[in-house]
Amino acid sequence: MAEALRDRDGLTEEEFLAKYEPGDYPRPSVAVDMVIFTVTDQEEDNYRRLPKKELRLLLIKRGGHPYLGQWALPGGFVRPSETTEQAADRELREETGVDQVYLEQLYTFSQPGRDPRTWVMSCSYMALIDSTQVKVQAGDDADQAAWFKLTSRMSEKRGRTEVWELTLRHRDICLRAVLEKEEGRPFYDSRMIGQEGLAFDHGRILAYGLERLRGKLKYTDLALHLLPESFTLTQLQQVYEVILDRELPAAAFRRKAAPMVRETGQYTEHEGHRPSRLYQRKGEE
């Protein structure tokens, strides 16, 4: 039997582990933060007109310190018995009442000082939810939860430096985040230069979530996760347009959508306008 390897102090691995003291080294707390998107219909007075879409993001109002009374992304600390993905699944169920939805890891935010309590690293996730399935409920550390309409625009450009402004609105509440980044660099590498009503560095996290969502629309069928099981091509195009914040030529969009969807043989009913053909995501029955 081969002799056990010994380190520079003459210890075997078993001896090293027996003497190891985790408290000798600073250790971060690990949290998950959830960027949860949905798309809803605007209220429309004319029932014969197709309602416009709104991109919305779920936020919770903090019921405790730090940032008491401010709004934050749903999230919490990872428990010793779970992975970060399991923690994200748990937070998603607790805040929305749904599971089995699209969930994707975004980035680990680890800037020093991002949480005033202690050293906290946040593993962020993006979730996409069909709004017809959502039942919003505030978690234990929140006073309330609400879907905020999200808009994002570049407000200034100085050479290669871009200034972006994100606005979130719910009824009479208006939240704001202003970020600065270099052209071509992702938002996780941006600098927060202003934030109103949002907690922690959540403006940066949600900005990167929106950037990831917009980027993946170019080569995936991700937008279909924001729609019910059956939908019209017009509704699908509206989802793309509200996320990308621009109008798309209908003919070109339908060519793009064709490989992603299949006809159901059914049509819309009782919507006050001409019936439209219904589609489903390919692979779904």
Side-chain angles (χ1 to χ4, degrees):
M1 184 175 180
E3 184 178 352
L5 294 176
R6 295 181 179 273
D7 64 11
R8 67 189 69 179
D9 297 318
L11 301 175
T12 65
E13 181 173 311
E14 183 178 6
E15 292 167 341
F16 167 79
L17 292 175
K19 295 179 63 175
Y20 185 77
E21 293 289 345
D24 290 345
Y25 303 93
R27 289 176 291 171
S29 296
V30 180
V32 292
D33 286 305
M34 306 290 297
V35 183
I36 305 174
F37 290 116
T38 195
V39 172
T40 60
D41 290 338
Q42 289 184 2
E43 291 186 7
E44 180 59 64
D45 293 334
N46 186 346
Y47 82 104
R48 293 185 179 277
R49 183 180 301 167
L50 286 174
K52 295 181 179 180
K53 301 291 185 184
E54 293 179 334
L55 178 64
R56 293 189 175 268
L57 175 81
L58 184 63
L59 295 177
I60 58 117
K61 188 176 183 181
R62 291 188 55 78
H65 294 298
Y67 298 103
L68 176 65
Q70 296 195 31
W71 292 85
L73 296 170
F77 288 105
V78 180
R79 296 169 180 170
S81 61
E82 61 188 3
T83 65
T84 58
E85 186 164 349
Q86 289 169 338
D89 276 330
R90 171 175 54 78
E91 290 291 340
L92 185 62
R93 288 193 304 272
E94 290 175 359
E95 301 293 351
T96 68
V98 300
D99 56 10
Q100 302 300 315
V101 300
Y102 182 85
L103 186 66
E104 172 183 338
Q105 187 177 133
L106 289 173
Y107 186 74
T108 299
F109 289 81
S110 57
Q111 291 85 350
R114 59 175 304 275
D115 190 310
R117 292 169 292 189
T118 186
W119 180 17
V120 179
M121 301 170 65
S122 175
C123 188
S124 60
Y125 284 80
M126 175 175 69
L128 305 180
I129 300 179
D130 165 21
S131 63
T132 62
Q133 298 180 1
V134 176
K135 180 182 178 182
V136 175
Q137 50 198 24
D140 292 340
D141 59 349
D143 278 346
Q144 56 183 295
W147 289 102
F148 281 74
K149 179 183 177 182
L150 172 62
T151 57
S152 171
R153 66 182 183 90
M154 185 169 63
S155 59
E156 186 180 352
K157 187 168 185 181
R158 305 185 296 267
R160 291 184 54 82
T161 301
E162 301 173 348
V163 179
W164 286 80
E165 183 173 325
L166 283 78
T167 304
L168 299 109
R169 297 181 185 275
H170 173 69
R171 297 177 181 167
D172 59 346
I173 304 170
C174 182
L175 313 176
R176 218 167 134 260
V178 183
L179 302 105
E180 185 178 79
K181 74 180 189 71
E182 292 300 305
E183 180 183 358
R185 295 295 302 163
F187 272 103
Y188 62 68
D189 201 26
S190 64
R191 185 172 69 90
M192 193 90 68
I193 59 176
Q195 189 166 258
E196 298 172 11
L198 279 168
F200 305 103
D201 57 350
H202 288 184
R204 180 187 292 115
I205 298 176
L206 69 90
Y208 181 57
L210 179 58
E211 181 179 54
R212 173 77 70 88
L213 177 59
R214 285 174 170 173
K216 295 195 80 167
L217 290 195
K218 298 174 183 177
Y219 60 93
T220 71
D221 64 355
L222 217 56
L224 296 174
H225 292 279
L226 294 163
L227 286 162
E229 183 179 356
S230 298
F231 50 85
T232 69
L233 289 183
T234 298
Q235 289 170 333
L236 179 58
Q237 182 171 342
Q238 285 179 313
V239 169
Y240 269 78
E241 289 177 339
V242 76
I243 294 171
L244 298 174
D245 194 25
R246 68 173 189 268
E247 292 186 3
L248 302 172
F253 177 79
R254 287 174 182 254
R255 288 194 296 271
K256 174 184 175 66
M260 299 187 291
V261 301
R262 66 175 185 84
E263 295 182 14
T264 65
Q266 298 177 326
Y267 292 81
T268 57
E269 297 179 351
H270 313 302
E271 294 193 2
H273 47 76
R274 182 179 178 182
S276 299
R277 194 183 302 273
L278 289 169
Y279 293 80
Q280 288 182 344
R281 183 181 181 183
K282 274 193 176 172
E284 293 187 357
E285 296 297 334

